[in-house]
Amino acid sequence: MSQQLAVVGAGLMGSGIAQVAATSGWEVVLRDVTEEALGRGTAAIEKSLDRFVDKQKLSADDRDAAMARIRTTTDLDAVGAADVVVEAIFESVDAKRELFGALDDICKAGAVLATNTSAIPITQIAAATRRPEDVVGTHFFSPVPMMALCELVRGVKTSDATLQRARDFAESLGKTCIVVNRDVAGFVTTRLITALAMEAINLYENGVATAEDIDTACKLGFGHAMGPLATTDLTGLDILRHATLNIYNETADAKFYPPEILSRLVDAGVLGRKSGSGFFDY
Ligand SMILES: NC(=O)c1ccc[n+]([C@@H]2O[C@H](COP(=O)([O-])OP(=O)(O)OC[C@H]3O[C@@H](n4cnc5c(N)ncnc54)[C@H](O)[C@@H]3O)[C@@H](O)[C@H]2O)c1
């Protein structure tokens, strides 16, 4: 019998995780709070699968079989039979703790309770349950069907068995895992991208090189697909500033303190692509 996955939250990440799991043979229960949100999530999955069919990377039969493996619901009790639950609701520690408290009452013994949080300590979420050993971070990247990485994050009490089962799950979706052994702010990926972006912004602020040249250095010198300043524009200057302050607040490491120009650009509403300009114009 195929394993059952529950995904809680049918937004950008939840729908992507549900899609990849269903195409990988998992029976998926996708839960959101409204039928509208479930409808948006399902439509996004259909659209994405259609693109794979158009590119001849998936047969129409396999697309239909994947869609048939996804059951949607607004009833949280429906996740009770799942072997693995992935939470992908919005990034709020209170909302996630409330949800994990409820999952603790509903889920079967031994289920893996995973969170897709990008920044909240796994340990804080796990502490809302009576089974913190079963709670783990499975940090997927957007767009989930395209991005090969899953960052597995251990909370203080996450068991080895839970970490292994989370790895088995992510690998069954075709992802490559890295393990974050300590539940630090920013995990590994956000620490790396933030440190690089802060140094790029420092170099730019001090007039050492132009934005174009800083990004060209990373692209042609290091083989990065996109430079750190263009990446910051894509992510949003406000989002990056928030992420780096979060790490700074935990570590007091000066390299994570936002350069003044980043703060002033955010004050001015210069947020990157979404506002029409950032380090570059769009
Ligand atoms: N967007 C990204 O690029 C990205 C990348 C990695 C990780 N993450 C993390 O993944 C999580 C989800 O992000 P997203 O971008 O998919 O958010 P999103 O806003 O697209 O979707 C969140 C969904 O959760 C639903 N929801 C809220 N409370 C719920 C509840 N109690 N039960 C069920 N559904 C509920 C909302 O209705 C919404 O559909 C966040 O923790 C985020 O930090 C996001």
Side-chain angles (χ1 to χ4, degrees):
M1 208 179 82
S2 59
Q3 293 200 80
Q4 198 182 106
L5 172 72
V7 179
V8 183
L12 179 69
M13 298 305 290
S15 64
I17 294 164
Q19 173 186 331
V20 179
T23 49
S24 306
W26 287 73
E27 294 295 330
V28 181
V29 176
L30 180 58
R31 193 264 175 171
D32 208 303
V33 281
T34 63
E35 290 295 343
E36 292 70 41
L38 288 168
R40 278 194 300 274
T42 310
I45 295 171
E46 275 171 348
K47 196 171 159 199
S48 174
L49 288 175
D50 283 345
R51 276 201 299 269
F52 282 100
V53 173
D54 290 345
K55 289 187 202 153
Q56 299 187 334
K57 290 186 172 164
L58 187 74
S59 72
D61 284 352
D62 287 346
R63 172 197 58 200
D64 297 344
M67 286 308 301
R69 280 195 281 271
I70 301 175
R71 186 160 62 89
T72 60
T73 182
T74 55
D75 178 10
L76 190 60
D77 288 337
V79 313
D83 303 288
V84 177
V85 180
V86 179
E87 168 276 312
I89 70 170
F90 54 82
E91 189 78 342
S92 150
V93 66
D94 292 339
K96 288 186 196 280
R97 282 177 54 89
E98 186 185 332
L99 176 63
F100 274 74
L103 291 175
D104 193 13
D105 293 334
I106 291 167
C107 292
K108 67 181 185 187
V112 172
L113 305 183
T115 170
N116 193 56
T117 180
S118 6
I120 298 169
I122 306 309
T123 307
Q124 279 179 18
I125 297 171
T129 73
R130 286 155 295 181
R131 39 172 133 171
E133 64 281 2
D134 295 342
V135 179
V136 62
T138 51
H139 183 205
F140 290 91
F141 292 76
S142 174
V144 181
M146 307 303 298
M147 299 297 275
L149 183 65
C150 181
E151 189 173 35
L152 300 176
V153 188
R154 299 187 82 119
V156 167
K157 294 189 178 170
T158 305
S159 71
D160 292 344
T162 298
L163 188 77
Q164 183 59 46
R165 290 180 61 208
R167 178 190 285 279
D168 292 344
F169 159 66
E171 288 180 352
S172 79
L173 270 49
K175 303 305 178 194
T176 297
C177 296
I178 65 156
V179 176
V180 184
N181 285 313
R182 284 196 303 118
D183 191 8
V184 299
F187 309 146
V188 165
T189 49
T190 307
R191 284 235 181 163
L192 287 172
I193 193 67
T194 304
L196 179 64
M198 288 311 119
E199 189 55 24
I201 296 169
N202 272 319
L203 292 168
Y204 170 77
E205 180 172 51
N206 291 320
V208 176
T210 62
E212 286 81 3
D213 282 1
I214 291 165
D215 274 16
T216 299
C218 290
K219 285 189 285 184
L220 302 189
F222 308 142
H224 292 185
M226 196 187 249
L229 297 174
T231 305
T232 300
D233 281 353
L234 185 63
T235 308
L237 275 65
D238 51 337
I239 304 287
L240 187 79
R241 183 173 181 278
H242 184 265
T244 202
L245 272 176
N246 179 40
I247 300 173
Y248 176 78
N249 288 337
E250 287 278 337
T251 61
D253 183 339
K255 73 170 170 285
F256 293 108
Y257 197 77
E260 281 184 291
I261 192 166
L262 179 62
S263 299
R264 288 302 85 71
L265 288 171
V266 171
D267 292 342
V270 178
L271 305 179
R273 278 184 191 237
K274 63 187 169 191
S275 72
S277 68
F279 294 99
F280 301 100
D281 290 327
Y282 298 92

